[in-house]
Amino acid sequence: HFALDTAPEPEELVTAVIAEPDRWGQTLLFLPTVLEVEASVVRMRRAGIPAAPALGDRSRETATAAFAAGSVQVLATCHA
């Protein structure tokens, strides 16, 4: 379990996960906007990290089930 004392930019969070995916293990990212969630997921997938967005549509159920099953390493969501 990691909790950050500061609020890093979303790009910094994604960079940290890409740099050391084994250190972060299964990770839940809370980001400020839907656009940042989508961009972060694309960037992680391009780096070979199984990532999925958990947004307010039906795909959220599929993504959270995949995360629970361990086939998704990073689940990204937002409060928007």
Side-chain angles (χ1 to χ4, degrees):
H1 173 87
F2 292 98
L4 304 175
D5 294 331
T6 61
E9 294 295 319
E11 188 171 311
E12 292 173 303
L13 291 172
V14 174
T15 297
V17 172
I18 289 171
E20 298 182 272
D22 292 335
R23 175 181 181 218
W24 292 96
Q26 269 196 303
T27 301
L28 180 58
L29 290 180
F30 290 96
L31 302 169
T33 69
V34 170
L35 289 176
E36 288 169 317
V37 167
E38 292 169 344
S40 296
V41 167
V42 167
R43 190 167 165 224
M44 287 183 281
R45 286 178 178 172
R46 286 183 180 157
I49 297 170
L55 300 170
D57 56 14
R58 288 181 47 165
S59 67
R60 179 176 56 195
E61 292 176 22
T62 302
T64 54
F67 185 76
S71 60
V72 167
Q73 183 173 344
V74 178
L75 191 64
T77 191
C78 66
H79 298 289

